Structures are given as C-alpha cells and as structure tokens.
Amino acid sequence: MNVQTDFTKDLSLPSGIFIDGRYTASAAGQMFETTNPFNGDTIARLPSCDASDVDAAVASARAAFKSGVWSGLHPTERKVVLCKLADLIMENVDELATMEALDAGKPITDCREIDVPETANCIRWHGEAQDKLYDQIAPSSPDAVAMIVREPVGVVAAVLPWNFPLLMMAWKIGPALATGNSVVVKPAEQTSLTALRLAELAVEAGVPPGVLNVITGFGPEVGEPLGRHMDVNALTFTGSTATGRRFLEYAAQSNLKEVCLEMGGKSAAVILSDAADIPRIAQIQSEAIFWNMGENCTANSRIIAHKDVYDEVVNEMTKAAAGWKVGDQMDVDTQNGPLVSDEHYAKVSGLVETGKSQGAKVAHGGEGAGGLLFQPTVFADVTRDMDIFQQEIFGPVVAVTRAETDEEAIELANQTQYGLAATLYTQSISKAHKYARKLEAGTVGVNAYSEGEISTPFGGFKASGFGGRDNGIHAHEQYTELKTIWIDLTA
Ligand code: NAD
Ligand code: MG
C-alpha cells in the first residue's frame, strides 16, 4: 500500500525564515533547495541566509528579551504558553510528522509515534517545571542576606543537526524558553522545515514575536556568524565533534559566550559472560543501532561480546538485521528510510568498504539497497585498530568485537575518543554497579539500551560533550547565569 498521498495531501511547506513573529525573506534573497532523500525530489526552496539575516534575528531576539514580554513574565505565565504549544504540536502531529519524514528520510511511523510526541513532551516538561523551582539563600551572619539566584542568559543561539530535527530543537528551546530567554534557531540545512513550522506554532500558542526566531542556511554563512556574534550570550549545538570544536574557537575569538556542545559518539554495548537471553539482547541492540538508520548520536555502533557469548551474539544480530524493513519512509511499515543525503551516504558506504578492506567480516548487509537506502549491516571479527571500531559511521552499521575477559570488554568499550553512552549486560548486581562506574560515558544503560528520559541529564564525556547537559533540570544551567546578591542589613 502506498500511503504517501494521504499524508502529503493539503501539506503546505514554509518558504521563508521566521523573524519577529512572522515569515519573511532573507536580506540577500538567495535560496537553496531541500529535498526528499528517498527520491531526490525538491520539496521546498528556503532562504540561504547570511550574516545580515543573523544580525536581524539576533536584534529581534535582543529587543524581545530587553522588553520583558517573555523574560519578565511570572514563570507560571510562561508555563501556560509552553503547555499550549505542546498541545498545538499534538494537534498538528500528522502535518509535522509528514514534513519531518519527507525532509529527513525518517520513517513516518517513527515521526508520528516518537519524534513529534516527544517534542511536545519535552516542551511541556520544561514549561511545567519552571514554576516549581526555588532559588537559594546561602549561610551568612544575621547582618546579611546572601541570595543565590538564576537569571536567563539573554539571547541563546541553537545550531541543530538533521537526525532529529524537531526533537533536538525541543531539547534546546524547551529549557531556553522556560527559563525566560529569547532564542535564534539555525536548523540543519538538510532539514529546516519543521523548525519553521514549530516557530509559527509557538507564536500561535502565545510566545511573543521575537522570542523565537528561525533562520535557514548553511554552516559557514549562518552557523559561524551566530557563533561569533557579539550579542549572543549562549550557544547550544548538537552535531559533529569537528563542528563543535569550531564553536569553542568562535566563542574564544568573540565575546566568550557560553557554549554547550552535544557531539558524536561511538557507543558500545558490553555483553559480559553471564548476560542472560542473547536473542532478547540482540533484539534490543538491533534497535540501538539500526533505529533511525543509525543516524543517532547514542547509537550502539559497537558490541563488545565476551568470548563465551560472542558466536551467539553474532548469529542473533545477523538474524535481527535480516528482519529489518528498509524502504520508502512514507510507508507506515518502513523501519529504515534513506540516509539523509548523498554526502552522508558516501561517508557511510566508504567506511563500510574500509571495514571490508581492513579485514572485518560482513555477517550481514554491507551494501546499499537502492538510492540512499543502506542495508542494516553487521560486521564481525572487528579489532580495535580498525577504522570501523574508532570512527563514527552514523549509519546502520554495527561492529562486533570479541573480548577474552570481562575486564578487557570494559577496557575495549573505553578505547575511543568519544564518551556519549554505553550499555552493559550482566546478571550480576555487583558487576552491574562496578562496571557501570567504569564505563566512560554520560549515560550507561544496564540490561537495556537507554538514553534516559526527559527527566535525566543527557550529554557526553570526552569528545562527545562540552559545557553542560541537555534534558532534566540540569539543562536549565546552560541557559541561566548564577548571580549572588549580598544584602547588608546593617545600614
Ligand atoms: P555538522 O556538525 O557539520 O552540522 C551540524 C550543524 O552545524 C548544522 O546546522 C550545520 O549547518 C552547522 N555547521 C556546519 N559547519 C559549520 C561551521 N563551520 N560553523 C558553524 N556551523 C556549522 O554535521 P553534518 O556535516 O551534518 O554531519 C557530519 C557528521 O556529524 C555525521 O556524519 C555524524 O557523524 C555527525 N553528526 C552527529 C550528530 C549528533 O547527534 N551528535 C548529528 C548530526 C551529525
Ligand atoms: Mg531534506
């Protein structure tokens, strides 16, 4: 059944940028095309912005911030608006999911059941949280009151990736708006449509014009001027480690804005000798690597299996991969759509070829599946020196490595520049505690792949993260400054 026409019927796509609460053209008038990666069709033309548009968006955000229309509200008033925005997102779930699926190649069913609901959930959670938080009074002599308060930083810039376009926007704007900031969003050039529509819904919900602006275009023309802007107080980013490093340079060379980076990963699942039910584990781990085409920063792209369970792990992973349904992302049964772009496909297939040439064994897949589709791929006999063990592939490709002992398995898991997430399988409660502590990762799932929930902080150790965490109340630290107010009572 081809259901594409049902979802796309009556779909109207944005064609401008969003500044001061309305759609507008970019200053220079340049446009770029955004495509459906399944068939290469152009689905929309969007402004290719430059530094003058960045200035306009930042000026709008600054004016809104200074005026107090949002930053000066009672937290409960912001809560009501953000909860209304969450409601509007769910009222428009089919429209948003269709845009997201068409633009990013993400399966429509995932978009409707995960991405859009989680986006609404995130914004609601931060909105709900804000009027339940208290500031602090520090110990002092009776002659003084020492208040420790949190204030919004001011203007926040958010530079986003293409793998979870709506959800990553929510992870940034949820806490940034809840804490009273104004925001300028630069979505990834591959996937800008839903960011624009979300900004429009925000205004409909009651977010005042200028508080949330979205400007489209490319990294060097839009991302860099935001990173270097003298009037941006904080920059939050999700994407590659290489680009993340640049934002630290931009900040150092401009106004020392706060920088928070969520970057790449090479997360491992460690399966110890006493792990129970390998078929179940393989089912979980197939989702941990193949879900969202492997275009997921916490994807468990490595499995380190103890030699006692290694053969069964490879066999069961192979079976799980074979059952994965790859195809048109607009088909409701599709589990994996196309990779996001030609460039990304070339990167993934190139690393797969490198894996073969360096001696890893293809247990399943290893090839494209037509267009930008890629077969779920399982590599066995992967060793620590191979590129597919070290480099982030960001595709549906898992590397399975044998460990002689439990200790070696943990050591191999940590043999990476990254430290975003890890998974550990064992029946021993003491091994679970001991090794969860030894794994160098921001999130460790035990006996299940986990990214935590909206309530738990998310971010990376080592080259996977810098400067703070997304999610949970911990995310609010990114978007607030701590201020001490010392009141002398003797006067
Ligand atoms: P990227 O890091 O280059 O892009 C992310 C964002 O940064 C985009 O909005 C982009 O326009 C912007 N950007 C790019 N170059 C910039 C620059 N010089 N200055 C300022 N902003 C800039 O990622 P990509 O090129 O789309 O993908 C490359 C690799 O990054 C992927 O193959 C994958 O390994 C990794 N990646 C990781 C995540 C994640 O969730 N951690 C997400 C997307 C991509
Ligand atoms: Mg696209």
Side-chain angles (χ1 to χ4, degrees):
M1 178 179 63
N2 181 355
V3 290
Q4 178 164 345
T5 46
D6 294 338
F7 286 117
T8 54
K9 193 156 64 75
D10 301 330
L11 188 68
S12 104
L13 298 176
S15 59
I17 51 177
F18 201 82
I19 297 181
D20 257 339
R22 60 186 181 83
Y23 283 116
T24 178
S26 65
Q30 301 294 321
M31 304 292 276
F32 71 100
E33 293 182 345
T34 189
T35 58
N36 172 353
F38 181 69
N39 52 22
D41 287 355
T42 296
I43 52 177
R45 286 164 52 76
L46 292 169
S48 183
C49 293
D50 61 21
S52 59
D53 303 303
V54 171
D55 286 343
V58 172
S60 166
R62 175 62 61 193
F65 183 75
K66 267 188 162 167
S67 76
V69 280
W70 183 250
S71 55
L73 294 183
H74 190 294
T76 304
E77 295 175 290
R78 289 200 295 269
K79 172 182 79 175
V80 169
V81 172
L82 291 175
C83 289
K84 171 77 178 156
L85 174 56
D87 292 342
L88 286 177
I89 290 167
M90 289 314 294
E91 282 169 26
N92 293 280
V93 57
D94 281 342
E95 180 200 358
L96 287 165
T98 303
M99 274 189 202
E100 192 88 319
L102 279 174
D103 205 3
K106 291 164 66 78
I108 182 72
T109 300
D110 285 351
C111 293
R112 293 168 84 207
E113 294 179 0
I114 302 171
D115 293 74
V116 177
E118 286 300 317
T119 295
N121 182 43
C122 174
I123 288 171
R124 191 185 307 280
W125 193 91
H126 287 288
E128 285 279 5
Q130 189 58 30
D131 67 355
K132 288 139 194 103
L133 299 174
Y134 294 76
D135 286 326
Q136 295 175 311
I137 305 277
S140 68
S141 91
D143 293 338
V145 176
M147 295 162 51
I148 305 170
V149 298
R150 283 203 171 272
E151 296 181 347
V153 293
V155 174
V156 172
V159 178
L160 304 181
W162 40 257
N163 55 342
F164 293 91
L166 266 177
L167 191 55
M168 291 306 100
M169 179 159 165
W171 280 22
K172 311 297 190 188
I173 69 167
L177 292 177
T179 47
N181 297 283
S182 294
V183 186
V184 178
V185 172
K186 187 211 119 28
E189 56 273 21
Q190 298 86 350
T191 56
S192 300
L193 294 173
T194 49
L196 292 161
R197 182 70 179 117
L198 186 54
E200 195 182 2
L201 289 175
V203 168
E204 191 180 331
V207 173
V211 171
L212 178 60
N213 305 285
V214 177
I215 45 176
T216 54
F218 294 83
E221 289 78 26
V222 186
E224 180 166 348
L226 278 172
R228 292 188 182 279
H229 208 286
M230 295 302 285
D231 204 27
V232 167
N233 301 100
L235 187 135
T236 181
F237 167 80
T238 296
S240 65
T241 296
T243 302
R245 285 179 200 279
R246 290 174 182 264
F247 281 106
L248 291 178
E249 291 174 15
Y250 302 155
Q253 292 162 7
S254 57
N255 63 345
L256 287 174
K257 58 181 65 63
E258 304 293 323
V259 175
C260 185
L261 309 171
E262 303 290 350
M263 300 171 288
K266 195 69 188 174
S267 301
V270 177
I271 308 179
L272 299 184
S273 51
D274 70 334
D277 198 350
I278 301 295
R280 170 184 171 268
I281 292 173
Q283 194 52 47
I284 294 170
Q285 287 311 123
S286 69
E287 284 169 26
I289 179 62
F290 301 138
W291 178 59
N292 208 55
M293 293 67 78
E295 295 169 344
N296 178 11
C297 48
T298 61
N300 283 182
S301 52
R302 294 181 300 149
I303 294 176
I304 318 287
H306 188 280
K307 66 179 183 210
D308 292 354
V309 294
Y310 176 85
D311 289 337
E312 193 183 359
V313 166
V314 172
N315 287 339
E316 293 296 332
M317 282 303 293
T318 302
K319 273 194 234 166
W324 210 260
K325 191 167 181 302
V326 179
D328 184 345
Q329 76 271 24
M330 302 313 290
D331 183 331
V332 290
D333 295 326
T334 291
Q335 289 173 286
N336 268 14
L339 300 182
V340 73
S341 65
D342 294 336
E343 298 76 27
H344 190 56
Y345 183 93
K347 176 188 167 182
V348 171
S349 55
L351 275 163
V352 166
E353 290 310 312
T354 304
K356 294 176 190 169
S357 69
Q358 291 181 344
K361 183 177 150 228
V362 177
H364 189 267
E367 305 289 340
L372 299 184
L373 300 173
F374 205 88
Q375 293 179 18
T377 295
V378 180
F379 272 114
D381 298 343
V382 176
T383 53
R384 68 173 80 199
D385 50 298
M386 292 180 186
D387 286 5
I388 58 170
F389 186 93
Q390 295 293 348
Q391 291 189 29
E392 182 176 53
I393 300 174
F394 224 63
V397 182
V398 65
V400 191
T401 299
R402 179 201 305 264
E404 293 301 311
T405 63
D406 288 348
E407 282 72 26
E408 192 198 19
I410 301 296
E411 193 256 324
L412 280 162
N414 289 337
Q415 280 286 305
T416 163
Q417 62 163 324
Y418 296 113
L420 194 52
T423 307
L424 177 67
Y425 292 98
T426 177
Q427 293 188 79
S428 156
I429 193 159
S430 56
K431 283 186 186 175
H433 279 279
K434 186 170 95 178
Y435 291 134
R437 294 288 184 157
K438 284 199 170 177
L439 287 163
E440 297 163 0
T443 300
V444 178
V446 178
N447 289 327
Y449 167 70
S450 176
E451 298 182 336
E453 288 186 352
I454 182 64
S455 54
T456 55
F458 178 95
F461 286 20
K462 305 196 293 193
S464 291
F466 181 92
R469 292 289 184 263
D470 286 329
N471 289 350
I473 292 300
H474 303 78
H476 292 210
E477 291 168 22
Q478 275 190 60
Y479 305 107
T480 51
E481 286 279 22
L482 215 49
K483 179 182 279 181
T484 297
I485 301 177
W486 187 276
I487 303 176
D488 188 306
L489 303 178
T490 60

